[in-house]
């Protein structure tokens, strides 16, 4: 219904998800961003919400990154379930400020598949921690990523586990609302 309503009243998926972004930003006192997973192998930042903290991370709408990089990328890799050789080939093309080894990345992808969310600690950007989960369509394909981004050292480690679990729940609910069974996906029909 949400997708049908969005087409009828001109509300985008991002606008429908925005209240959750704002709630999470206020509850966790950090930047929460919404990424769109593109068909050309990228993620694009399409919306963001932040708390009113004086010191915070800022990222611009329109930022475009390879879809397998960072916390969202680990979740996308888990969802795509690529053969290890193909994943290794794609991993070799990624740019990180502090790159993980392929073995560490592969272990993170397996963990993301198991727990439904992922963590990037100072790999994509030094000094930043990112927690992410995916919004999937009814076929299990990644459509959006939701991530919390903060400066390293600001939170206890258990905060990231709580945020990851909540992002997973929000992403699952959002996926069911935006891409319900029995309703078409506009760009695939």
């Amino acid at each position: 219904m949400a997708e049908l309503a969005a087409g009828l009243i001109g509300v985008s998926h991002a606008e429908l998800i925005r209240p959750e972004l704002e709630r999470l930003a206020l509850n966790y006192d950090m930047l929460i961003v919404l990424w769109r997973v593109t068909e050309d192998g990228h993620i694009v930042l399409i919306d963001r919400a932040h708390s009113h903290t004086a010191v915070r991370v800022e990222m611009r709408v329109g930022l475009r990154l390879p879809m397998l990089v960072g916390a969202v990328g680990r979740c996308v890799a888990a969802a795509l379930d690529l053969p290890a050789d193909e994943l290794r080939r794609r991993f070799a093309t990624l740019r990180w400020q502090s790159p993980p080894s392929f073995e560490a990345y592969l272990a993170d992808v397996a963990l993301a598949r198991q727990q439904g969310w992922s963590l990037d600690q100072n790999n994509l950007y030094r000094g930043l921690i990112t927690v992410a989960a995916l919004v999937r369509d009814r076929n299990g394909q990644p459509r959006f990523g939701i991530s919390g981004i903060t400066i390293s050292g600001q939170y206890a480690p258990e905060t990231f586990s709580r945020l990851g679990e909540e992002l997973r729940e929000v992403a699952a609910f959002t996926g069911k609302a935006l891409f319900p069974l029995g309703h078409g996906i506009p760009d695939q029909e």
Side-chain angles (χ1 to χ4, degrees):
M1 288 298 288
E3 186 165 299
L4 180 60
L8 294 175
I9 59 175
V11 177
S12 71
H13 288 154
E15 290 171 305
L16 292 169
I17 299 169
R18 181 151 186 76
E20 281 300 305
L21 300 181
E22 291 173 345
R23 181 187 66 77
L24 290 164
L26 291 174
N27 286 351
Y28 286 91
D29 198 27
M30 67 176 71
L31 176 68
I32 305 292
V33 300
L34 178 65
W35 303 91
R36 183 173 54 85
V37 180
T38 68
E39 291 187 19
D40 69 350
H42 291 86
I43 55 174
V44 178
L45 196 153
I46 61 171
D47 201 4
R48 66 185 189 271
H50 55 80
S51 66
H52 299 288
T53 305
V55 177
R56 67 172 187 255
V57 176
E58 180 60 53
M59 298 180 84
R60 69 174 171 78
V61 169
L63 177 65
R64 183 178 164 95
L65 298 170
M67 76 175 175
L68 297 179
V69 78
V72 171
R74 288 167 173 90
C75 291
V76 170
L80 295 179
D81 201 20
L82 299 169
D85 289 345
E86 176 64 12
L87 187 58
R88 181 184 297 274
R89 185 187 69 74
R90 292 186 188 192
F91 176 82
T93 68
L94 301 176
R95 292 192 182 136
W96 312 73
Q97 285 189 350
S98 182
S101 68
F102 178 71
E103 292 71 24
Y105 179 80
L106 196 57
D108 289 345
V109 168
L111 187 58
R113 187 176 298 113
Q114 175 188 352
Q115 64 190 13
W117 60 273
S118 187
L119 179 71
D120 180 289
Q121 294 188 45
N122 303 300
N123 293 129
L124 182 55
Y125 297 109
R126 285 186 203 108
L128 297 184
I129 295 178
T130 305
V131 181
L134 288 182
V135 175
R136 298 180 190 209
D137 66 23
R138 69 171 184 247
N139 298 316
Q141 293 302 304
R143 299 290 296 252
F144 298 100
I146 304 173
S147 57
I149 305 169
T150 190
I151 299 167
S152 295
Q154 301 298 304
Y155 298 91
E158 57 271 11
T159 301
F160 302 117
S161 296
R162 279 196 321 273
L163 175 58
E165 291 169 11
E166 191 163 359
L167 287 173
R168 179 189 64 221
E169 292 169 11
V170 167
F173 175 80
T174 301
K176 288 176 184 170
L178 295 179
F179 308 106
L181 291 174
H183 290 84
I185 300 171
D187 61 350
Q188 292 184 354
E189 292 188 339

